[in-house]
Structures are given as C-alpha cells and as structure tokens.
Amino acid sequence: MIRTVAQIWHRRCVLPAAMVMLLPCVAVASLNIVSHYSPRNRERPVRRATDFIILHTTEGPKAGSLNKLHANGEAHYMIDEQGKVYRIIHRNRVAFHAGRSMWEGRTNLDNRSIGIELVGYHHRDITAAQYTALRELLAQLQRIYRIPDERVVPHSMVAYGAPNRWHRQSHRGRKRCGMLFARADVRRRLGLGRGPARDPDVAAGRLVSADSYLQQVLFGEGGAQNLAAAFFSGDEAMVVSAGRSAWDIAREAYNQSSTTYVFPDGTRRRGNEIRDWGRIPPGTKVILPGLVEDNRWEGVRVLGKDGNTAQELAGGEYNSATTIYILPDGTVKTGAEMRDADFRSMQQGTMVLARYEYAGEVTRRRSAFDICKARWNHAGTIYRFNDGRIVSGNRVDERNIPAGTKIFLPQ
Ligand SMILES: [Zn+2]
C-alpha cells in the first residue's frame, strides 16, 4: 500500500532536476529519514547525470562514521543498524564517496552517482531494519532517477587502484567496500535483480583484476559466490600467510601510518615504517584503523617513504606525461620531461602523482576557480602550497590560497 502511494507520488514528481530539488520529494512515512546535512552540502555542485547508485559499508561503528561522512560530505545517505536514514548531501548534489572509480571506461563516478553508506562491514550481513530501509530508499531513488537494478552496485565493483608495489598496472580490487551487495541472495532481499555479469573494464584491458576472491564474489555464479563470501569471515583473514600478502589484507591502507603490523615476535610497526614488503613473515597480524574508508585522496606518494625509486612509486607509468613529480623545491615535471639522470638523482621527499595533470599556478589575477572551475573543491584536486604542504580540494580553505600555489587535477 505504501509502495503504491509512493509510486503515484513519484510519478507526479518527474520534473526537471532544478524543480525536483525544491520539492520535499522523499516524504514517505515508511522511511525513518532525517536531514543531517553536511556543512559541505551547499558548496557542492548539482550533478548533471545520475546513472548509478553506489552502495558502501562504513567498516566501522555508527558514531565515528557519521561524524566523518558528515564533516567531509562523503555520502548522500547513511543507514544505521536500526534502519534510520540520515541525509548528508542532497541527492542532487555531488558527494565524495566513490574516490578513484571507473565503469565502462568512464572515471570519477562521483559526478554520476548517489552514494549510500550502510553502517556495517563488507563481509557481514546487514540488519533486518537496514534491509527494510535500504529497500525502500532504493525503490524511491531508482524511480526518481530511472536507474535500473544493474546500475545499483557495490563500491568495490567500481573502485580501482593506481599502480603499486604489488600491481604494476591500474587494477580492480582497491577496496572490498560493500562487497556483499553483489550477492544474489542479498540483492533479492533488497528487491534488486542481478547486477552486472562481468567487469567491463577488466574485459577491455583498461584494468587488471588484482583480487580474484573479490572477483568471485562480485561476478561468480550462485554457489561459488556464496562460498567465497563465507570464506572471508574469521580473524584468520587478518593474518599474513603464504597465500595472503599485506596488500591482500590492508589494501590501499597497507603502507599508512594508521595500519599496524604485529610480527610473530611481538614487535609492532606502522605501515609507513616498513620498507621491505617482501619480508613480512607469515603469522604477522594486521590491525586496521577500523574506522572508515578514506576517500579523500590516495594519490600522493613520497620518495623515501612509499618507495625508493620512481618505478616503485608510479609503476610502469613512471615516465609518462600523466605522472607528475613535485621536487622538494617546488619544481614540477612530468615523467615524460624527466631524463634518466633525473630519475637516478631524484631527491628524498619528491612527491609523485600518478594519472594527474598540472593545471596551473594561482596568481593575483588567476584564482583556483579560474584554473579548475567546479573541480576546485573536489577531493581529488591537489594543492601544493609554497611551504610544501599538500592539501586536497575538499579540505582547502578558499580564502587562503596564496599566489604561487600549484594545482593538480586527476586525469
Ligand atoms: Zn565505499
């Protein structure tokens, strides 16, 4: 009955996007929904297209997750374990939830998607209340934006990673976020039909698959899919073994200071203190910060910290025109402009951005907005200040971008 009312209501609601925005369109009693808009909400541009709904798991408890998502505007909605829905960014505006992402060759899916965070974990089932709430929210959003079931996808299906120590090519498998939402049984309970049957970017060779287990859960057939999902549920999953590297466990957080490694002899090291990744002994425990995926930017690597050669930092693309080197004195060069001798004599502290372009320098007459238009405050946009600080676009204070600041944009 409620569904029917909602359907009628939404049929009347098919209006131009600008008008829809003015209407209190989501007003159905069956959803327990509250507005808890991020301070970032009003500055976010209105999306021009909405082709996807991307489902995330917070990988941490409610309070911390809500604080972070709210402060940074990193989701449109969050659904807690009781089924309460929080609006964080208006559904017509851009939220920074997908990070480095690609589907069918199109990148930066934040510009074409709605992001919903479920309080929970990628390998555990959500609560019955979350099923009810998510099912209703999806039904409403799919009607409003005319999004077919196969465009309702887990974050892990569209996220991809830049080259790293384990994978020299751009790869699928950067995250396992929201993985359970690929499972046929979970989708059925949400009223969703099948998701995509295969990964178009891996099929076309744009990406390689870096996580066969994830691939199995995302695209495997029924039985195999569930078996794979059940496999990853115990604590043994957090211990390095012959078949499980540090990267398998920690993913992009493997070399972060927030990730702790406890060696079999009891020694503890932080991810950024480890140099020799080939020598992590089996039995080493990996402790992740627990709280929440970080979509700000994964882009900046530092020589001497994240690796010791250009190849280690940027993989096979180290000498390409879209790999940017920021030398300690602020000089900017692309990989294509560097000579062999430059690579050999690269100084510690040189920063590397893979798949970026140098957009320009702020001057008295040329503001950050002039240089990158609406992208000036995007999470992936990177500012380098004269004092060497690196700040991402969603953290930058627009009143305080002095002349000489350099700006880099993701490709
Ligand atoms: Zn996610």
Side-chain angles (χ1 to χ4, degrees), residues 54-59 74 97-99 116-117 154-156 159 174-178 293-295:
I54 297 177
L55 302 175
H56 305 257
T57 37
T58 59
E59 308 299 321
E74 291 179 334
H97 60 97
I116 304 175
E117 287 271 2
H155 186 196
S156 43
R174 175 166 75 80
K175 285 176 172 292
R176 287 180 174 172
C177 179
E293 42 168 352
D294 200 326
N295 287 324

Coordinates of all heavy atoms in Angstrom, one line a residue, residues 54-59 74 97-99 116-117 154-156 159 174-178 293-295, ligand 1:
I54 N 25.6 3.8 -5.7 CA 26.8 3.0 -5.2 C 26.6 2.7 -3.7 O 26.4 3.6 -2.9 CB 28.1 3.8 -5.5 CG1 28.2 3.9 -7.1 CG2 29.3 3.1 -4.9 CD1 29.4 4.7 -7.5
L55 N 26.7 1.5 -3.4 CA 26.5 1.0 -2.0 C 27.8 0.8 -1.3 O 28.7 0.1 -1.8 CB 25.6 -0.2 -2.0 CG 24.3 -0.1 -2.7 CD1 23.6 -1.4 -2.8 CD2 23.4 0.9 -2.0
H56 N 27.9 1.3 -0.1 CA 29.1 1.3 0.7 C 28.8 0.6 2.1 O 27.7 0.7 2.6 CB 29.7 2.7 1.0 CG 29.9 3.5 -0.2 ND1 31.2 3.7 -0.7 CD2 29.1 4.2 -1.0 CE1 31.1 4.5 -1.7 NE2 29.9 4.9 -1.9
T57 N 29.9 0.1 2.7 CA 29.8 -0.3 4.1 C 30.9 0.6 4.8 O 32.0 0.8 4.3 CB 30.2 -1.8 4.2 OG1 31.2 -2.2 3.3 CG2 29.0 -2.7 3.9
T58 N 30.5 1.1 6.0 CA 31.3 2.0 6.7 C 32.6 1.4 7.2 O 33.6 2.1 7.5 CB 30.6 2.7 7.8 OG1 30.2 1.7 8.8 CG2 29.4 3.5 7.4
E59 N 32.6 0.1 7.5 CA 33.7 -0.7 8.1 C 34.1 -0.1 9.5 O 35.2 -0.2 9.9 CB 35.0 -0.6 7.2 CG 34.7 -1.0 5.7 CD 34.2 -2.5 5.6 OE1 34.7 -3.3 6.3 OE2 33.3 -2.7 4.7
E74 N 30.8 12.9 2.5 CA 31.3 11.8 1.8 C 30.2 10.7 1.5 O 30.5 9.6 1.1 CB 32.4 11.1 2.5 CG 33.7 12.0 2.5 CD 34.8 11.3 3.3 OE1 34.6 10.6 4.2 OE2 36.0 11.7 3.0
H97 N 32.2 10.1 -2.5 CA 32.1 8.8 -1.9 C 32.8 7.7 -2.7 O 33.1 6.7 -2.2 CB 30.6 8.4 -1.7 CG 29.8 8.4 -3.0 ND1 29.6 7.2 -3.7 CD2 29.2 9.3 -3.7 CE1 28.9 7.5 -4.8 NE2 28.7 8.8 -4.8
A98 N 33.0 7.9 -4.0 CA 33.5 6.8 -4.8 C 35.0 6.8 -5.0 O 35.6 5.8 -5.4 CB 32.8 6.8 -6.2
G99 N 35.6 7.9 -4.7 CA 37.1 8.0 -4.9 C 37.5 7.7 -6.3 O 36.8 7.9 -7.3
I116 N 25.3 5.6 -1.0 CA 24.6 5.2 0.3 C 25.6 4.4 1.2 O 26.1 3.4 0.7 CB 23.3 4.4 0.0 CG1 22.4 5.2 -0.9 CG2 22.6 4.1 1.3 CD1 21.2 4.4 -1.4
E117 N 25.8 4.8 2.4 CA 26.7 4.1 3.3 C 25.8 3.3 4.3 O 24.9 3.9 4.9 CB 27.5 5.1 4.1 CG 28.7 5.7 3.3 CD 30.0 4.9 3.4 OE1 30.0 3.8 4.0 OE2 30.9 5.4 2.8
P154 N 27.9 -2.4 -5.7 CA 28.8 -2.1 -4.6 C 30.0 -1.2 -5.0 O 30.4 -1.3 -6.1 CB 29.3 -3.5 -4.2 CG 28.9 -4.4 -5.2 CD 28.0 -3.7 -6.2
H155 N 30.5 -0.5 -4.0 CA 31.6 0.4 -4.3 C 32.8 -0.4 -4.8 O 33.5 0.1 -5.7 CB 32.0 1.1 -3.0 CG 33.1 2.1 -3.1 ND1 33.8 2.6 -2.1 CD2 33.6 2.8 -4.2 CE1 34.7 3.5 -2.5 NE2 34.5 3.6 -3.8
S156 N 33.0 -1.6 -4.3 CA 34.2 -2.4 -4.7 C 34.2 -2.7 -6.2 O 35.2 -3.0 -6.8 CB 34.3 -3.6 -3.8 OG 33.0 -4.2 -3.7
A159 N 35.4 0.8 -7.8 CA 36.7 1.4 -7.4 C 37.9 0.7 -8.1 O 37.8 -0.4 -8.4 CB 36.8 1.2 -5.9
R174 N 40.9 -2.3 -5.4 CA 41.4 -1.4 -4.4 C 40.6 -1.5 -3.1 O 41.2 -1.2 -2.1 CB 41.2 0.0 -5.0 CG 41.6 1.2 -4.1 CD 41.7 2.5 -4.8 NE 40.4 3.1 -5.2 CZ 39.6 3.8 -4.4 NH1 40.0 4.0 -3.2 NH2 38.5 4.3 -4.9
K175 N 39.4 -1.8 -3.2 CA 38.5 -1.9 -2.0 C 37.7 -3.1 -2.0 O 37.4 -3.6 -3.1 CB 37.6 -0.7 -1.9 CG 38.3 0.6 -1.5 CD 37.3 1.7 -1.6 CE 37.9 3.0 -1.0 NZ 38.1 2.9 0.5
R176 N 37.2 -3.6 -0.9 CA 36.1 -4.6 -0.8 C 34.8 -4.0 -0.3 O 33.9 -4.7 0.0 CB 36.6 -5.8 0.0 CG 37.6 -6.6 -0.7 CD 38.1 -7.8 0.2 NE 39.0 -8.6 -0.6 CZ 39.7 -9.6 -0.1 NH1 39.5 -9.9 1.2 NH2 40.5 -10.3 -0.9
C177 N 34.8 -2.7 -0.3 CA 33.7 -2.0 0.3 C 32.3 -2.4 -0.4 O 32.2 -2.5 -1.6 CB 33.9 -0.5 0.0 SG 32.5 0.6 0.6
G178 N 31.4 -2.7 0.5 CA 30.0 -3.0 0.0 C 29.9 -4.3 -0.7 O 28.8 -4.6 -1.3
E293 N 36.6 3.9 5.4 CA 37.3 4.1 4.2 C 37.6 5.6 4.1 O 36.8 6.4 4.5 CB 36.5 3.6 3.1 CG 35.1 4.0 3.2 CD 34.3 3.7 1.9 OE1 35.0 3.4 0.9 OE2 33.1 3.9 1.9
D294 N 38.7 5.9 3.5 CA 39.0 7.3 3.3 C 39.0 7.6 1.8 O 39.8 7.1 1.1 CB 40.4 7.5 3.9 CG 40.6 8.9 4.2 OD1 40.1 9.7 3.4 OD2 41.3 9.2 5.2
N295 N 38.1 8.5 1.4 CA 38.0 8.8 0.0 C 38.7 10.1 -0.4 O 38.5 10.6 -1.4 CB 36.6 8.8 -0.4 CG 36.0 7.4 -0.5 OD1 36.7 6.5 -0.8 ND2 34.8 7.3 -0.1
Ligands
ZN1 ZN 32.9 2.6 -0.1

